[in-house]
Amino acid sequence: MRNSVEFVIYGDYALFTDPLTKLGGEKLSYQVPTYQALKGIVESIYWKPTLIMVIDEVRIMNPIRMESKGIRPLEYSGGNTLANYTYLKEPCYQVRSHFEFNLNRPEMAFDRNENKHHNVFKRSLQAGGRRDVFLGARECQAYVEPCVFGEGESFYDNYGDIHLGNMIHGINYPDETGREQLEVRLWSPVMRNGIIQFIRPEQCEQVRIISDMKPKYFDQGNVEPVDVLSDELEGRGKL
């Protein structure tokens, strides 16, 4: 696929929080990562307002196992409270993604150099990302490396279909939709032989409005063009 980047991400724990479990102060992870969580990982590897990162599919490499921990989170009113968080243990995922230009940002047309964005994206991946990478929650630090999607053995090879029920797909932000509102998307994924193929955000039929929201503004005054970034990295021997 055009502008495609494939990588493996792994860590000791992951927490892709089911929002229904947060009401009582507890957190329970979904069995698999959401589209939005994987998109956040890709944007930690490389992000520009010029681009929209699209997640194509994820491959679950390790068996789905969970572990509960007693946590003492801070309360907004001060002090600590007691809670029980249930994490995924030793997660490992292969991810296939690609980027597209954000056509809802015509002011960023000056930054649409497809080849240089792709080169910087791949080099950022080889360096482990431009920002810290984590699996769903800040305490779940993770590591990313380039890979070939589908290579190696998965615990769920030839496992058949697993229906995962209704869950969060992701969040619609106004700069990506052109609508001045924040929305949440839901869907019902099926894992086939360890692989979840994501539908595109605009294909989600269950969309709920959260609140009104205006997009952040970017232009040449506060964004470094990819041509300059690429030349700087090349001068440092990083490209």
Side-chain angles (χ1 to χ4, degrees), residues 52-71:
I52 294 179
M53 301 302 184
V54 180
I55 308 301
D56 300 304
E57 51 190 330
V58 61
R59 185 179 183 217
I60 316 301
M61 302 300 291
N62 290 344
I64 297 171
R65 296 184 298 157
M66 292 190 167
E67 180 178 310
S68 294
K69 294 185 178 184
I71 304 294

Side-chain angles (χ1 to χ4, degrees), residues 135-154:
L135 285 159
R138 190 65 182 83
E139 67 265 28
C140 299
Q141 193 75 29
Y143 305 92
V144 292
E145 299 173 0
C147 78
V148 176
F149 190 90
E151 196 173 70
E153 293 185 5
S154 161

Side-chain angles (χ1 to χ4, degrees), residues 23 42 160 173 235:
L23 301 177
V42 172
Y173 292 98

Side-chain angles (χ1 to χ4, degrees), residues 215-233:
K216 294 181 179 179
Y217 185 76
F218 295 98
D219 61 15
Q220 287 178 288
N222 56 11
V223 174
E224 182 180 51
V226 70
D227 295 334
V228 175
L229 174 61
S230 178
D231 291 343
E232 288 179 353
L233 294 176

Side-chain angles (χ1 to χ4, degrees), residues 79-231:
N80 296 85
T81 187
L82 295 174
N84 193 63
Y85 291 2
T86 303
Y87 297 84
L88 291 168
K89 187 175 182 180
E90 296 180 348
C92 180
Y93 310 111
Q94 289 182 353
V95 181
R96 175 180 285 147
S97 64
H98 72 279
F99 69 81
E100 301 172 357
F101 289 130
N102 188 349
L103 300 182
N104 289 307
R105 286 195 177 276
E107 69 276 11
M108 296 301 297
F110 72 92
D111 196 41
R112 293 176 186 168
N113 187 322
E114 186 175 347
N115 183 57
K116 288 195 174 182
H117 276 301
H118 197 211
N119 286 337
V120 174
F121 192 0
K122 289 187 293 184
R123 296 300 183 182
S124 298
L125 172 59
Q126 290 176 348
R130 295 175 66 84
R131 293 183 289 172
D132 288 350
V133 179
F134 49 91
L135 285 159
R138 190 65 182 83
E139 67 265 28
C140 299
Q141 193 75 29
Y143 305 92
V144 292
E145 299 173 0
C147 78
V148 176
F149 190 90
E151 196 173 70
E153 293 185 5
S154 161
F155 179 82
Y156 295 98
D157 287 344
N158 305 312
Y159 201 90
D161 292 358
I162 298 178
H163 293 258
L164 298 166
N166 205 38
M167 60 184 289
I168 296 288
H169 184 278
I171 306 256
N172 286 337
Y173 292 98
D175 63 317
E176 296 184 354
T177 63
R179 300 185 292 272
E180 293 189 350
Q181 55 195 30
L182 186 67
E183 303 167 340
V184 62
R185 307 184 304 271
L186 304 173
W187 75 315
S188 298
V190 178
M191 183 171 74
R192 294 185 169 90
N193 297 323
I195 296 176
I196 300 172
Q197 293 183 330
F198 290 102
I199 60 175
R200 291 180 61 92
E202 61 269 21
Q203 293 176 317
C204 290
E205 297 180 353
Q206 301 179 67
V207 180
R208 302 290 182 270
I209 298 173
I210 300 175
S211 64
D212 293 334
M213 186 179 190
K214 291 186 179 295
K216 294 181 179 179
Y217 185 76
F218 295 98
D219 61 15
Q220 287 178 288
N222 56 11
V223 174
E224 182 180 51
V226 70
D227 295 334
V228 175
L229 174 61
S230 178
D231 291 343

